[in-house]
Amino acid sequence: MIALGSDHAGFELKQAIIKHLEERKIEYKDYGPFSADSVDYAVYAEKTAKGVIGGECELGILCCGTGVGISIAANKVRGIRACCCSDKFSAEMTRLHNDANMLCLGGRVVTPEQAIELVDIFLDTPFSGEERHARRIAQITELEERF
Ligand code: RB5
């Protein structure tokens, strides 16, 4: 199950991703918004991130204008490792090395076609499980607990 959320500037991109997930027969939960009216990205970052850390969804995808604001907000939620990216290498490496659990995309940065490529890479790449990467992720978690 994939959690989806956006703001108004990422709404159309979210709709394109929904269509793609439906074509791939991948289940998703849309945490909103449900129209392109102006909304605040932190609100939807929180709603969607809760779906991931609560265990309802395995991974999440967030869209705003740049992917940046919504990723900053999502990364404030304990347990979230959200990656804002617009290139295929980063989309792959953030799963392999960072075990990222949310992908953040910019509706004003990438085309729907580019976004779908990034989504597929993100969803289809597992965490490598290598000790050095697991150790570094544990350090991030420890950092989160200290602050
Ligand atoms: C909204 O205009 C825009 O600021 C937002 O979608 C996002 O790009 C923020 O990082």
Side-chain angles (χ1 to χ4, degrees):
M1 181 73 82
I2 306 303
L4 297 176
S6 76
D7 71 356
H8 53 287
F11 179 77
E12 289 304 329
L13 194 58
K14 174 164 68 75
Q15 299 315 110
I17 293 167
I18 286 174
K19 184 168 174 283
H20 180 66
L21 294 181
E22 287 175 351
E23 282 165 7
R24 282 195 60 182
K25 301 195 186 332
I26 295 174
E27 286 191 307
Y28 63 87
K29 180 158 181 187
D30 187 356
Y31 289 86
F34 302 101
S35 81
D37 294 347
S38 183
V39 292
D40 299 327
Y41 54 78
V43 172
Y44 291 90
E46 180 182 351
K47 286 177 194 285
T48 314
K50 279 179 175 166
V52 175
I53 54 161
E56 191 175 7
C57 299
E58 191 185 338
L59 295 170
I61 301 169
L62 293 168
C63 306
C64 70
T66 56
V68 175
I70 209 158
S71 68
I72 293 172
N75 275 314
K76 299 296 178 193
V77 177
R78 193 178 292 258
I80 291 298
R81 291 181 299 281
C83 169
C84 174
C85 65
S86 52
D87 69 279
K88 294 194 271 185
F89 180 72
S90 300
E92 182 182 8
M93 297 310 279
T94 202
R95 290 287 305 126
L96 277 175
H97 286 193
N98 314 126
D99 198 14
N101 50 15
M102 300 194 88
L103 174 68
C104 304
L105 301 166
R108 296 170 180 164
V109 177
V110 292
T111 64
E113 293 73 24
Q114 289 168 332
I116 282 160
E117 274 193 304
L118 300 174
V119 164
D120 282 344
I121 291 167
F122 185 79
L123 298 184
D124 296 340
T125 305
F127 174 49
S128 73
E130 289 174 294
E131 192 280 330
R132 69 184 188 285
H133 298 307
R135 181 180 70 242
R136 291 163 189 160
I137 293 164
Q139 287 168 350
I140 294 173
T141 304
E142 192 269 332
L143 189 61
E144 189 175 60
E145 282 161 5
R146 268 193 290 128
F147 289 89

